[in-house]
Amino acid sequence: MRTIRPLLAAVVAALAFASALLFGAAPASAHDAAESTSPASGATVAEVPASVSVTFNNRPLAIGSGMSVTAGGENWADGAVQIIDNQAVQKLRPGAPAGQYTVVWRVVSSDSHPIEGTFTFTATAGSTTSEGATAGAPPSASGQAGSGTVPSAGTAAPGTPVSEPAPDASQPFPWSIVAFAALAVALVIFLAVTARRKLAASNDAEGDKSAE
């Protein structure tokens, strides 16, 4: 029986290892996260952009999203947050002044968990869009340079730098975890079979001694 106990302990340890791999490692990488902001956090731009945005590693849910863009004690956000691919985009009201802006955002990630954050940027000049401008009118050429805005449609405005395509939002399947788990299960089966054979051999040996 002394040889059986270490084998049983090894079986239990292998089972615990397999469970930790299957149920512990996968959820740890499931939550979404913000990858970048526009304008970049702490950046100084030539003028107040037409919109600000936050880029995530997955597409956030539209429900429950909100963003405030404040300067001088006033919120310059215009309307609701727009979810475009894996970006949360917030338009700004015309006539926003120069100064430091604080952006506070909150979205619901693709796994239904709310996430939030904040960043700041400084504009050396106010918005060039007048109060009476049409909502759909394109910004002036001077407003496009250095603003770091994110277009709300699929086509970028003339003169706006084209950003690199967003990375694939799907998470890679954890094949390494599956491989480790398969090895752990194979080890469990091997140890269980070995323990059973040794236990049977031990019982046979005790039976032979009792028969003598």
Side-chain angles (χ1 to χ4, degrees):
M1 293 298 293
R2 292 181 179 178
T3 58
I4 300 301
R5 291 178 180 176
L7 289 174
L8 291 177
V11 170
V12 173
L15 285 173
F17 177 70
S19 299
L21 285 175
L22 290 176
F23 302 107
S29 58
H31 296 297
D32 296 350
E35 293 185 329
S36 62
T37 64
S38 179
S41 180
T44 298
V45 295
E47 62 184 31
V48 178
S51 64
V52 297
S53 66
V54 181
T55 301
F56 302 90
N57 60 334
N58 284 315
R59 180 186 177 92
L61 303 180
I63 186 172
S65 300
M67 196 177 300
S68 66
V69 187
T70 57
E74 185 174 355
N75 184 11
W76 292 92
D78 184 13
V81 174
Q82 294 179 328
I83 303 300
I84 304 174
D85 295 330
N86 60 333
Q87 290 183 329
V89 182
Q90 176 64 65
K91 293 182 178 179
L92 303 185
R93 292 189 286 113
Q100 186 179 58
Y101 284 76
T102 300
V103 182
V104 179
W105 56 265
R106 183 183 186 275
V107 299
V108 178
S109 63
S110 59
D111 58 359
S112 301
H113 284 80
I115 54 177
E116 57 188 12
T118 181
F119 67 94
T120 61
F121 68 92
T122 302
T124 56
S127 173
T128 57
T129 306
S130 63
E131 293 285 350
T134 306
S140 62
S142 61
Q144 294 168 3
S147 63
T149 60
V150 177
S152 58
T155 304
T160 302
V162 179
S163 59
E164 296 182 359
D168 187 5
S170 59
Q171 294 287 344
F173 190 80
W175 290 109
S176 59
I177 296 177
V178 174
F180 279 120
L183 289 175
V185 171
L187 178 62
V188 169
I189 295 174
F190 172 77
L191 293 176
V193 171
T194 303
R196 185 174 180 180
R197 288 178 178 176
K198 291 193 174 185
L199 181 61
S202 177
N203 291 337
D204 291 341
E206 291 179 359
D208 292 340
K209 288 182 180 180
S210 61
E212 294 177 358

